[in-house]
Amino acid sequence: MRRLRNLKVVATLGPSSDDYNMIRALFEAGADVFRLNMSHGSHEEIARRHAIIRQIETDTGRPIAILADLQGPKLRCGIFANKAEEIEEGQNFRFDLSSEPGDSTRVQLPHKEIFAALEPGATLLVNDGKLRLTVKSCGPDHADCEVAVGGTISDRKGVNVPDVVLPVAALSEKDRRDLDAVLDLGVDWVALSFVQRPEDVTEARAIVGDRAAILSKIEKPSAVKCFDEILAVSDGIMVARGDLGVEIPVQNVPPIQKRLVRACRAAAKPVIVATQMLESMIESPVPTRAEVSDVATAIYEGADAVMLSAESAAGHYPIEAVKTMDKVAIEVESDPTYRDIIEASRQANRSTVADGIVAAAREIAETADIKAICCFTESGTTALKTARERPRVPILALTPYAKTGRRLSLSWGINCFFNDKVERFKMAVVSAARAAREGGYGNGEDQIIVIAGLPFNIPGSTNILRVAPCEERLIFNVEPE
Protein backbone atom coordinates (compact mmCIF):
# COMPACT_ATOMS: atom_id res chain seq x y z
CA MET A 1 0.00 0.00 0.00
CA ARG A 2 2.91 2.35 -0.57
CA ARG A 3 1.71 5.75 -1.80
CA LEU A 4 3.41 7.21 -4.86
CA ARG A 5 3.10 10.76 -3.56
CA ASN A 6 3.98 12.87 -0.53
CA LEU A 7 0.71 14.81 -0.25
CA LYS A 8 -1.90 13.36 2.10
CA VAL A 9 -5.61 13.08 1.27
CA VAL A 10 -8.30 13.67 3.90
CA ALA A 11 -11.72 12.13 3.17
CA THR A 12 -14.86 13.04 5.12
CA LEU A 13 -17.17 10.15 5.98
CA GLY A 14 -20.95 10.36 5.72
CA PRO A 15 -23.98 8.66 4.16
CA SER A 16 -22.07 7.88 0.94
CA SER A 17 -19.16 6.30 2.84
CA ASP A 18 -20.67 4.49 5.77
CA ASP A 19 -19.68 0.82 5.68
CA TYR A 20 -16.52 -1.25 5.80
CA ASN A 21 -16.32 -1.96 2.08
CA MET A 22 -16.69 1.67 1.01
CA ILE A 23 -14.34 3.07 3.65
CA ARG A 24 -11.72 0.47 2.79
CA ALA A 25 -12.16 1.28 -0.90
CA LEU A 26 -11.53 4.95 -0.09
CA PHE A 27 -8.38 4.00 1.81
CA GLU A 28 -7.14 1.85 -1.06
CA ALA A 29 -7.96 4.63 -3.52
CA GLY A 30 -5.69 7.00 -1.61
CA ALA A 31 -7.32 8.37 1.55
CA ASP A 32 -4.76 8.73 4.34
CA VAL A 33 -6.92 10.47 6.95
CA PHE A 34 -10.63 10.11 7.66
CA ARG A 35 -12.64 13.07 8.93
CA LEU A 36 -15.61 12.59 11.23
CA ASN A 37 -17.85 15.65 10.91
CA MET A 38 -19.45 16.23 14.30
CA SER A 39 -22.04 18.56 12.73
CA HIS A 40 -23.74 15.47 11.31
CA GLY A 41 -24.43 12.07 12.80
CA SER A 42 -25.10 10.74 16.28
CA HIS A 43 -22.41 9.60 18.68
CA GLU A 44 -23.39 6.03 17.86
CA GLU A 45 -22.82 6.60 14.13
CA ILE A 46 -19.50 8.30 14.81
CA ALA A 47 -18.39 5.42 17.05
CA ARG A 48 -19.35 2.86 14.39
CA ARG A 49 -17.32 4.66 11.70
CA HIS A 50 -14.39 4.98 14.09
CA ALA A 51 -14.47 1.23 14.74
CA ILE A 52 -14.54 0.48 11.02
CA ILE A 53 -11.46 2.65 10.41
CA ARG A 54 -9.56 0.93 13.20
CA GLN A 55 -10.50 -2.47 11.76
CA ILE A 56 -9.20 -1.41 8.34
CA GLU A 57 -6.01 -0.23 10.02
CA THR A 58 -5.59 -3.67 11.59
CA ASP A 59 -6.41 -5.49 8.36
CA THR A 60 -3.98 -3.46 6.24
CA GLY A 61 -1.20 -3.02 8.80
CA ARG A 62 -0.97 0.72 8.13
CA PRO A 63 -1.66 3.52 10.62
CA ILE A 64 -4.64 5.69 9.67
CA ALA A 65 -5.34 9.09 11.21
CA ILE A 66 -8.85 9.95 12.38
CA LEU A 67 -9.84 13.62 12.56
CA ALA A 68 -12.91 14.66 14.58
CA ASP A 69 -14.15 18.06 13.36
CA LEU A 70 -16.17 19.92 16.00
CA GLN A 71 -19.07 22.08 14.84
CA GLY A 72 -18.06 25.15 16.83
CA PRO A 73 -20.26 28.02 18.01
CA LYS A 74 -22.49 28.26 14.95
CA LEU A 75 -24.65 31.39 14.95
CA ARG A 76 -28.11 31.16 13.39
CA CYS A 77 -31.20 33.35 13.15
CA GLY A 78 -34.61 32.21 14.39
CA ILE A 79 -37.66 31.07 12.45
CA PHE A 80 -40.15 33.00 10.29
CA ALA A 81 -43.94 32.85 10.40
CA ASN A 82 -43.93 32.19 6.66
CA LYS A 83 -40.74 30.05 6.72
CA ALA A 84 -39.00 32.63 4.49
CA GLU A 85 -39.15 36.31 3.56
CA GLU A 86 -37.72 38.55 0.85
CA ILE A 87 -35.72 41.56 2.03
CA GLU A 88 -34.66 44.28 -0.38
CA GLU A 89 -31.64 46.52 -0.68
CA GLY A 90 -32.09 49.74 1.28
CA GLN A 91 -34.84 48.53 3.59
CA ASN A 92 -34.58 48.42 7.38
CA PHE A 93 -34.39 45.07 9.16
CA ARG A 94 -34.05 44.26 12.85
CA PHE A 95 -32.44 41.37 14.69
CA ASP A 96 -33.56 40.95 18.31
CA LEU A 97 -33.90 38.46 21.15
CA SER A 98 -37.68 38.02 20.89
CA SER A 99 -38.69 34.43 20.23
CA GLU A 100 -41.71 35.51 18.17
CA PRO A 101 -41.55 34.18 14.58
CA GLY A 102 -40.01 36.69 12.19
CA ASP A 103 -41.46 38.62 9.27
CA SER A 104 -40.14 40.90 6.53
CA THR A 105 -38.99 43.48 9.10
CA ARG A 106 -37.38 41.44 11.90
CA VAL A 107 -36.26 38.04 13.15
CA GLN A 108 -34.81 36.58 16.32
CA LEU A 109 -31.05 36.31 16.72
CA PRO A 110 -30.76 34.23 19.91
CA HIS A 111 -27.21 35.23 20.70
CA LYS A 112 -27.06 38.12 23.16
CA GLU A 113 -23.28 38.02 23.02
CA ILE A 114 -23.47 39.31 19.44
CA PHE A 115 -25.46 42.36 20.48
CA ALA A 116 -22.98 43.03 23.28
CA ALA A 117 -20.12 43.18 20.76
CA LEU A 118 -21.79 44.97 17.84
CA GLU A 119 -21.15 48.59 16.95
CA PRO A 120 -22.74 50.84 14.33
CA GLY A 121 -21.16 50.19 10.95
CA ALA A 122 -20.57 46.49 11.61
CA THR A 123 -21.57 43.99 8.93
CA LEU A 124 -23.88 41.01 9.37
CA LEU A 125 -23.78 38.26 6.74
CA VAL A 126 -26.61 35.76 6.40
CA ASN A 127 -26.81 32.43 4.53
CA ASP A 128 -23.10 32.10 3.65
CA GLY A 129 -22.82 35.77 2.76
CA LYS A 130 -25.64 35.81 0.22
CA LEU A 131 -27.32 38.56 2.27
CA ARG A 132 -25.40 41.52 3.71
CA LEU A 133 -26.70 43.98 6.28
CA THR A 134 -25.05 47.02 7.90
CA VAL A 135 -25.73 47.86 11.55
CA LYS A 136 -27.17 51.37 11.96
CA SER A 137 -27.85 51.28 15.69
CA CYS A 138 -27.79 48.58 18.35
CA GLY A 139 -28.44 47.81 21.97
CA PRO A 140 -28.08 44.90 24.38
CA ASP A 141 -31.10 43.13 22.85
CA HIS A 142 -31.33 44.30 19.24
CA ALA A 143 -29.57 45.55 16.12
CA ASP A 144 -31.29 47.81 13.59
CA CYS A 145 -29.77 47.27 10.16
CA GLU A 146 -29.98 48.47 6.59
CA VAL A 147 -30.00 45.81 3.91
CA ALA A 148 -26.97 46.23 1.65
CA VAL A 149 -27.52 43.07 -0.40
CA GLY A 150 -31.01 41.62 -0.35
CA GLY A 151 -32.54 38.26 -1.11
CA THR A 152 -34.38 35.42 0.61
CA ILE A 153 -33.91 34.97 4.35
CA SER A 154 -35.37 31.81 5.86
CA ASP A 155 -35.49 29.72 9.01
CA ARG A 156 -32.29 29.17 10.99
CA LYS A 157 -29.85 30.48 8.40
CA GLY A 158 -26.26 30.99 9.53
CA VAL A 159 -25.13 34.47 10.56
CA ASN A 160 -21.53 35.68 10.28
CA VAL A 161 -20.07 38.77 11.93
CA PRO A 162 -16.74 39.37 10.15
CA ASP A 163 -15.86 42.74 11.69
CA VAL A 164 -16.06 41.76 15.35
CA VAL A 165 -14.24 39.41 17.72
CA LEU A 166 -17.24 37.83 19.41
CA PRO A 167 -17.20 37.12 23.16
CA VAL A 168 -18.37 33.54 22.65
CA ALA A 169 -16.90 30.41 24.16
CA ALA A 170 -14.55 28.47 21.91
CA LEU A 171 -16.51 25.31 22.66
CA SER A 172 -20.30 25.18 22.73
CA GLU A 173 -22.12 22.74 25.01
CA LYS A 174 -22.56 20.46 22.01
CA ASP A 175 -18.84 20.68 21.27
CA ARG A 176 -18.01 19.67 24.83
CA ARG A 177 -20.28 16.64 24.64
CA ASP A 178 -18.86 15.70 21.25
CA LEU A 179 -15.31 16.23 22.47
CA ASP A 180 -15.81 13.89 25.43
CA ALA A 181 -17.24 11.26 23.10
CA VAL A 182 -14.46 11.33 20.49
CA LEU A 183 -11.68 11.50 23.09
CA ASP A 184 -13.13 8.38 24.70
CA LEU A 185 -13.07 6.71 21.27
CA GLY A 186 -9.41 7.63 20.80
CA VAL A 187 -9.38 9.92 17.76
CA ASP A 188 -5.98 11.25 16.72
CA TRP A 189 -6.83 14.84 15.79
CA VAL A 190 -9.51 17.27 16.97
CA ALA A 191 -10.37 20.22 14.71
CA LEU A 192 -11.62 23.41 16.38
CA SER A 193 -14.07 25.47 14.31
CA PHE A 194 -14.33 29.27 14.24
CA VAL A 195 -11.15 29.87 16.22
CA GLN A 196 -10.81 33.61 16.82
CA ARG A 197 -7.80 33.91 19.13
CA PRO A 198 -5.07 31.71 20.71
CA GLU A 199 -7.02 31.53 23.97
CA ASP A 200 -9.66 29.46 22.15
CA VAL A 201 -7.02 26.81 21.50
CA THR A 202 -5.60 26.83 25.02
CA GLU A 203 -9.13 26.46 26.41
CA ALA A 204 -9.59 23.31 24.35
CA ARG A 205 -6.09 22.10 25.22
CA ALA A 206 -7.00 22.12 28.90
CA ILE A 207 -9.69 19.53 28.13
CA VAL A 208 -7.89 17.51 25.45
CA GLY A 209 -4.49 17.29 27.15
CA ASP A 210 -2.28 14.86 25.26
CA ARG A 211 -5.12 12.55 24.27
CA ALA A 212 -5.31 14.06 20.76
CA ALA A 213 -3.54 16.65 18.64
CA ILE A 214 -5.37 19.94 18.03
CA LEU A 215 -5.98 21.35 14.56
CA SER A 216 -7.14 24.99 14.42
CA LYS A 217 -9.46 25.91 11.55
CA ILE A 218 -8.74 29.35 10.15
CA GLU A 219 -12.07 30.72 8.95
CA LYS A 220 -12.37 34.10 10.72
CA PRO A 221 -10.64 37.40 9.86
CA SER A 222 -9.64 37.74 13.51
CA ALA A 223 -7.84 34.39 13.29
CA VAL A 224 -5.89 35.57 10.25
CA LYS A 225 -4.81 38.70 12.13
CA CYS A 226 -3.38 36.74 15.07
CA PHE A 227 -2.40 33.65 13.08
CA ASP A 228 1.17 33.43 14.39
CA GLU A 229 -0.08 33.24 17.97
CA ILE A 230 -2.72 30.62 17.05
CA LEU A 231 -0.14 28.55 15.17
CA ALA A 232 2.19 28.61 18.17
CA VAL A 233 -0.38 26.88 20.42
CA SER A 234 -1.80 24.51 17.76
CA ASP A 235 -0.48 21.17 16.49
CA GLY A 236 -1.78 21.78 12.97
CA ILE A 237 -3.90 24.12 10.86
CA MET A 238 -6.80 23.83 8.44
CA VAL A 239 -7.29 26.61 5.90
CA ALA A 240 -11.11 26.43 5.92
CA ARG A 241 -11.85 28.49 2.86
CA GLY A 242 -15.65 28.20 3.03
CA ASP A 243 -16.46 30.50 5.95
CA LEU A 244 -13.22 32.40 5.44
CA GLY A 245 -14.37 33.27 1.93
CA VAL A 246 -17.69 34.46 3.34
CA GLU A 247 -16.18 36.81 5.91
CA ILE A 248 -13.44 38.34 3.77
CA PRO A 249 -13.42 39.35 0.10
CA VAL A 250 -12.97 36.21 -1.98
CA GLN A 251 -9.98 37.68 -3.82
CA ASN A 252 -8.13 37.83 -0.50
CA VAL A 253 -8.38 34.09 0.14
CA PRO A 254 -5.61 32.84 -2.25
CA PRO A 255 -2.80 35.05 -0.87
CA ILE A 256 -3.91 34.26 2.70
CA GLN A 257 -3.86 30.55 1.86
CA LYS A 258 -0.35 30.81 0.48
CA ARG A 259 0.89 32.74 3.51
CA LEU A 260 -0.63 30.32 6.02
CA VAL A 261 0.74 27.26 4.23
CA ARG A 262 4.28 28.70 4.26
CA ALA A 263 4.04 29.65 7.93
CA CYS A 264 2.93 26.13 8.87
CA ARG A 265 5.78 24.58 6.95
CA ALA A 266 8.29 26.89 8.64
CA ALA A 267 6.87 25.83 12.02
CA ALA A 268 7.00 22.12 11.07
CA LYS A 269 3.27 21.75 11.66
CA PRO A 270 0.88 20.10 9.17
CA VAL A 271 -1.61 22.20 7.21
CA ILE A 272 -4.74 21.06 5.36
CA VAL A 273 -6.27 23.07 2.52
CA ALA A 274 -10.03 22.45 2.54
CA THR A 275 -13.45 23.35 1.14
CA GLN A 276 -14.93 23.03 -2.35
CA MET A 277 -11.80 21.46 -3.82
CA LEU A 278 -13.71 19.03 -6.06
CA GLU A 279 -17.23 20.31 -5.38
CA SER A 280 -18.63 19.32 -8.79
CA MET A 281 -17.77 15.67 -8.09
CA ILE A 282 -20.67 15.52 -5.66
CA GLU A 283 -22.78 15.07 -8.79
CA SER A 284 -20.23 14.41 -11.56
CA PRO A 285 -17.71 11.56 -12.01
CA VAL A 286 -15.12 14.06 -13.31
CA PRO A 287 -14.00 17.41 -11.85
CA THR A 288 -13.86 20.75 -13.59
CA ARG A 289 -10.50 21.97 -14.89
CA ALA A 290 -10.65 24.85 -12.41
CA GLU A 291 -11.03 22.40 -9.50
CA VAL A 292 -8.04 20.37 -10.65
CA SER A 293 -6.03 23.59 -10.83
CA ASP A 294 -7.16 24.49 -7.30
CA VAL A 295 -5.95 21.17 -5.94
CA ALA A 296 -2.70 21.50 -7.88
CA THR A 297 -2.12 25.00 -6.52
CA ALA A 298 -2.34 23.75 -2.92
CA ILE A 299 0.18 21.03 -3.74
CA TYR A 300 2.59 23.44 -5.43
CA GLU A 301 2.34 25.67 -2.35
CA GLY A 302 3.56 22.78 -0.19
CA ALA A 303 0.39 21.90 1.73
CA ASP A 304 0.59 18.71 3.76
CA ALA A 305 -2.92 17.60 2.84
CA VAL A 306 -5.99 18.43 0.80
CA MET A 307 -9.50 17.59 1.96
CA LEU A 308 -12.71 16.23 0.50
CA SER A 309 -15.91 17.21 2.31
CA ALA A 310 -19.31 16.49 0.75
CA GLU A 311 -17.53 14.91 -2.23
CA SER A 312 -16.75 11.80 -0.17
CA ALA A 313 -19.39 12.16 2.56
CA ALA A 314 -22.54 12.68 0.52
CA GLY A 315 -21.57 12.64 -3.14
CA HIS A 316 -22.33 10.09 -5.81
CA TYR A 317 -18.65 9.45 -6.65
CA PRO A 318 -16.59 9.28 -3.43
CA ILE A 319 -14.02 6.80 -4.74
CA GLU A 320 -13.52 8.74 -7.96
CA ALA A 321 -12.98 11.94 -5.94
CA VAL A 322 -10.23 10.33 -3.86
CA LYS A 323 -8.62 8.84 -6.96
CA THR A 324 -8.68 12.28 -8.60
CA MET A 325 -6.82 13.80 -5.64
CA ASP A 326 -4.31 10.96 -5.81
CA LYS A 327 -3.70 11.33 -9.54
CA VAL A 328 -3.35 15.12 -9.40
CA ALA A 329 -0.83 14.84 -6.57
CA ILE A 330 1.28 12.25 -8.40
CA GLU A 331 1.31 14.35 -11.56
CA VAL A 332 2.17 17.62 -9.81
CA GLU A 333 4.93 16.08 -7.71
CA SER A 334 6.55 14.63 -10.84
CA ASP A 335 6.71 18.10 -12.40
CA PRO A 336 10.24 19.63 -12.16
CA THR A 337 8.60 22.99 -11.46
CA TYR A 338 7.09 21.55 -8.27
CA ARG A 339 10.53 20.69 -6.93
CA ASP A 340 11.84 24.14 -7.90
CA ILE A 341 9.01 25.85 -6.00
CA ILE A 342 9.32 23.63 -2.93
CA GLU A 343 13.05 24.16 -2.64
CA ALA A 344 12.85 27.90 -3.29
CA SER A 345 10.34 28.27 -0.45
CA ARG A 346 12.43 26.35 2.09
CA GLN A 347 13.20 28.48 5.15
CA ALA A 348 16.32 27.79 7.19
CA ASN A 349 14.77 27.85 10.67
CA ARG A 350 17.57 25.99 12.43
CA SER A 351 18.26 26.64 16.08
CA THR A 352 18.73 23.15 17.57
CA VAL A 353 20.85 20.07 17.04
CA ALA A 354 17.78 18.26 15.69
CA ASP A 355 17.26 21.03 13.10
CA GLY A 356 20.83 20.59 11.93
CA ILE A 357 20.57 16.80 11.82
CA VAL A 358 17.46 16.74 9.62
CA ALA A 359 18.86 19.44 7.30
CA ALA A 360 22.07 17.43 6.95
CA ALA A 361 20.03 14.29 6.23
CA ARG A 362 18.24 16.01 3.37
CA GLU A 363 21.47 17.38 1.88
CA ILE A 364 23.20 13.98 2.08
CA ALA A 365 20.17 12.27 0.55
CA GLU A 366 20.22 14.70 -2.37
CA THR A 367 24.00 14.34 -2.83
CA ALA A 368 24.38 10.57 -2.57
CA ASP A 369 22.24 7.70 -3.82
CA ILE A 370 20.03 7.43 -0.73
CA LYS A 371 16.73 5.57 -0.90
CA ALA A 372 15.02 6.87 2.26
CA ILE A 373 15.47 8.89 5.45
CA CYS A 374 14.46 6.81 8.49
CA CYS A 375 13.58 8.67 11.71
CA PHE A 376 13.19 7.13 15.12
CA THR A 377 10.66 9.29 16.90
CA GLU A 378 8.85 9.21 20.23
CA SER A 379 6.64 12.28 19.97
CA GLY A 380 6.83 12.79 16.19
CA THR A 381 8.88 15.99 16.33
CA THR A 382 11.91 14.59 14.47
CA ALA A 383 9.74 13.28 11.65
CA LEU A 384 7.90 16.61 11.40
CA LYS A 385 11.17 18.51 11.18
CA THR A 386 12.35 16.12 8.48
CA ALA A 387 9.13 16.69 6.56
CA ARG A 388 9.66 20.45 6.82
CA GLU A 389 12.81 20.00 4.73
CA ARG A 390 10.69 18.41 1.96
CA PRO A 391 13.44 15.94 0.92
CA ARG A 392 13.46 14.26 -2.48
CA VAL A 393 13.47 10.78 -0.91
CA PRO A 394 10.76 9.07 1.19
CA ILE A 395 10.59 9.66 4.95
CA LEU A 396 10.08 6.59 7.15
CA ALA A 397 8.99 7.35 10.71
CA LEU A 398 9.61 4.48 13.13
CA THR A 399 7.85 4.73 16.47
CA PRO A 400 6.73 2.32 19.20
CA TYR A 401 3.59 4.38 19.77
CA ALA A 402 0.43 3.93 17.71
CA LYS A 403 -0.70 7.40 18.76
CA THR A 404 2.40 9.02 17.25
CA GLY A 405 2.26 7.01 14.04
CA ARG A 406 -1.37 7.83 13.46
CA ARG A 407 -0.93 11.55 14.03
CA LEU A 408 2.01 11.64 11.64
CA SER A 409 -0.17 10.12 8.90
CA LEU A 410 -1.47 13.65 8.25
CA SER A 411 1.95 15.12 7.49
CA TRP A 412 3.67 15.54 4.12
CA GLY A 413 5.74 12.59 2.95
CA ILE A 414 5.81 10.67 6.23
CA ASN A 415 5.35 6.89 6.01
CA CYS A 416 4.79 5.42 9.48
CA PHE A 417 6.02 2.07 10.78
CA PHE A 418 5.49 0.64 14.25
CA ASN A 419 8.51 -0.93 15.92
CA ASP A 420 9.52 -2.13 19.37
CA LYS A 421 11.60 0.13 21.55
CA VAL A 422 15.33 -0.24 20.93
CA GLU A 423 18.19 0.33 23.35
CA ARG A 424 21.21 0.10 21.02
CA PHE A 425 21.88 2.14 17.91
CA LYS A 426 22.91 -0.90 15.86
CA MET A 427 19.48 -2.46 16.44
CA ALA A 428 17.86 0.82 15.46
CA VAL A 429 19.71 0.70 12.15
CA VAL A 430 18.64 -2.91 11.65
CA SER A 431 15.01 -1.98 12.36
CA ALA A 432 15.20 0.89 9.88
CA ALA A 433 16.69 -1.36 7.21
CA ARG A 434 13.94 -3.93 7.71
CA ALA A 435 11.24 -1.26 7.43
CA ALA A 436 12.85 0.04 4.21
CA ARG A 437 12.96 -3.44 2.71
CA GLU A 438 9.48 -4.47 3.81
CA GLY A 439 8.02 -1.19 2.56
CA GLY A 440 9.69 -1.55 -0.83
CA TYR A 441 11.96 1.46 -0.38
CA GLY A 442 15.30 -0.32 -0.71
CA ASN A 443 17.08 -3.68 -0.98
CA GLY A 444 20.49 -5.23 -0.56
CA GLU A 445 23.26 -2.66 -0.82
CA ASP A 446 20.87 0.28 -1.25
CA GLN A 447 21.65 2.95 1.32
CA ILE A 448 19.38 4.69 3.80
CA ILE A 449 19.92 7.46 6.32
CA VAL A 450 19.04 6.70 9.94
CA ILE A 451 18.27 9.54 12.37
CA ALA A 452 17.93 8.87 16.09
CA GLY A 453 18.66 10.22 19.53
CA LEU A 454 21.00 8.82 22.13
CA PRO A 455 20.10 7.85 24.78
CA PHE A 456 17.06 6.19 23.22
CA ASN A 457 13.43 6.66 24.21
CA ILE A 458 13.81 10.26 25.32
CA PRO A 459 11.71 12.72 23.29
CA GLY A 460 13.62 15.58 21.71
CA SER A 461 17.07 13.98 21.94
CA THR A 462 17.82 13.68 18.17
CA ASN A 463 21.59 13.89 17.87
CA ILE A 464 22.89 11.18 15.53
CA LEU A 465 22.81 10.46 11.79
CA ARG A 466 24.14 7.35 10.06
CA VAL A 467 24.27 6.26 6.42
CA ALA A 468 23.67 2.52 6.35
CA PRO A 469 22.97 -0.29 3.89
CA CYS A 470 19.63 -2.09 3.75
CA GLU A 471 21.31 -5.49 3.99
CA GLU A 472 21.50 -6.60 7.64
CA ARG A 473 24.68 -8.62 7.09
CA LEU A 474 26.48 -5.50 5.95
CA ILE A 475 25.16 -3.56 8.93
CA PHE A 476 26.62 -6.04 11.42
CA ASN A 477 29.92 -5.98 9.56
CA VAL A 478 30.42 -2.24 9.57
CA GLU A 479 28.13 -0.53 12.09
CA PRO A 480 29.38 0.50 15.55
CA GLU A 481 27.55 -0.59 18.63
Side-chain angles (χ1 to χ4, degrees), residues 376 378 400-401 419-423 453-461:
F376 281 81
E378 295 269 318
Y401 302 112
N419 69 287
D420 296 330
K421 287 189 175 183
V422 294
E423 302 297 336
L454 297 178
F456 277 105
N457 306 317
I458 298 178
S461 64

Side-chain angles (χ1 to χ4, degrees), residues 70 169-184 187 190 192 198-214 233 235 407:
L70 301 180
L171 298 171
S172 67
E173 288 304 314
K174 170 179 166 51
D175 291 332
R176 290 177 181 273
R177 294 192 299 271
D178 291 345
L179 187 56
D180 287 341
V182 297
L183 290 175
D184 287 343
V187 299
V190 172
L192 304 180
E199 290 79 10
D200 294 345
V201 185
T202 55
E203 178 184 332
R205 181 82 67 186
I207 300 172
V208 175
D210 63 354
R211 289 183 288 173
I214 293 180
V233 295
D235 299 305
R407 290 181 187 178

Side-chain angles (χ1 to χ4, degrees), residues 123-184:
T123 298
L124 294 178
L125 304 172
V126 182
N127 193 13
D128 292 334
K130 294 181 176 66
L131 287 75
R132 182 182 296 265
L133 301 93
T134 303
V135 177
K136 293 301 183 182
S137 63
C138 52
D141 60 355
H142 73 280
D144 290 316
C145 307
E146 179 180 319
V147 178
V149 178
T152 303
I153 183 170
S154 56
D155 292 352
R156 299 188 178 90
K157 288 301 181 184
V159 178
N160 295 78
V161 191
D163 304 331
V164 179
V165 177
L166 296 174
V168 296
L171 298 171
S172 67
E173 288 304 314
K174 170 179 166 51
D175 291 332
R176 290 177 181 273
R177 294 192 299 271
D178 291 345
L179 187 56
D180 287 341
V182 297
L183 290 175
D184 287 343

Side-chain angles (χ1 to χ4, degrees), residues 366-442:
E366 293 175 359
T367 303
D369 184 17
I370 301 296
K371 299 302 182 183
I373 298 174
C374 304
C375 314
F376 281 81
T377 184
E378 295 269 318
S379 64
T381 301
T382 301
L384 290 172
K385 289 188 173 187
T386 305
R388 176 176 64 189
E389 295 290 321
R390 299 295 194 260
R392 293 171 180 254
V393 300
I395 303 168
L396 311 188
L398 291 87
T399 181
Y401 302 112
K403 177 174 70 174
T404 299
R406 289 166 176 163
R407 290 181 187 178
L408 289 173
S409 297
L410 176 61
S411 296
W412 186 97
I414 298 178
N415 304 277
C416 301
F417 293 83
F418 297 136
N419 69 287
D420 296 330
K421 287 189 175 183
V422 294
E423 302 297 336
R424 296 168 52 216
F425 184 64
K426 180 177 285 188
M427 295 313 301
V429 175
V430 169
S431 296
R434 287 175 181 169
R437 293 197 311 273
E438 291 171 3
Y441 297 94

Side-chain angles (χ1 to χ4, degrees), residues 7-145:
L7 179 84
K8 301 302 175 68
V9 174
V10 182
T12 303
L13 299 184
S16 295
S17 46
D18 199 38
D19 60 32
Y20 179 95
N21 290 336
M22 175 57 76
I23 297 173
R24 174 146 186 178
L26 292 177
F27 172 74
E28 293 177 349
D32 304 287
V33 180
F34 287 107
R35 171 177 173 253
L36 305 176
N37 187 352
M38 304 308 295
S39 297
H40 306 286
S42 65
H43 287 177
E44 290 74 20
E45 290 172 317
I46 295 296
R48 180 172 52 78
R49 291 168 185 162
H50 181 279
I52 290 172
I53 297 166
R54 289 293 180 242
Q55 185 60 53
I56 293 169
E57 182 181 70
T58 299
D59 293 345
T60 60
R62 277 195 51 176
I64 303 173
I66 301 177
L67 166 66
D69 195 337
L70 301 180
Q71 177 176 287
K74 192 74 173 178
L75 308 177
R76 298 184 182 277
C77 68
I79 62 172
F80 290 84
N82 296 324
K83 304 297 183 184
E85 295 284 352
E86 291 293 323
I87 57 176
E88 298 179 354
E89 180 180 346
Q91 82 166 72
N92 295 323
F93 192 85
R94 168 174 278 213
F95 292 96
D96 57 41
L97 293 176
S98 171
S99 59
E100 289 295 315
D103 55 31
S104 61
T105 64
R106 62 155 295 277
V107 73
Q108 181 189 26
L109 186 59
H111 304 283
K112 61 183 179 181
E113 62 274 11
I114 292 183
F115 298 119
L118 284 178
E119 296 179 352
T123 298
L124 294 178
L125 304 172
V126 182
N127 193 13
D128 292 334
K130 294 181 176 66
L131 287 75
R132 182 182 296 265
L133 301 93
T134 303
V135 177
K136 293 301 183 182
S137 63
C138 52
D141 60 355
H142 73 280
D144 290 316
C145 307

Side-chain angles (χ1 to χ4, degrees), residues 162 187 193 284 358 379:
V187 299
S193 296
S284 170
V358 298
S379 64

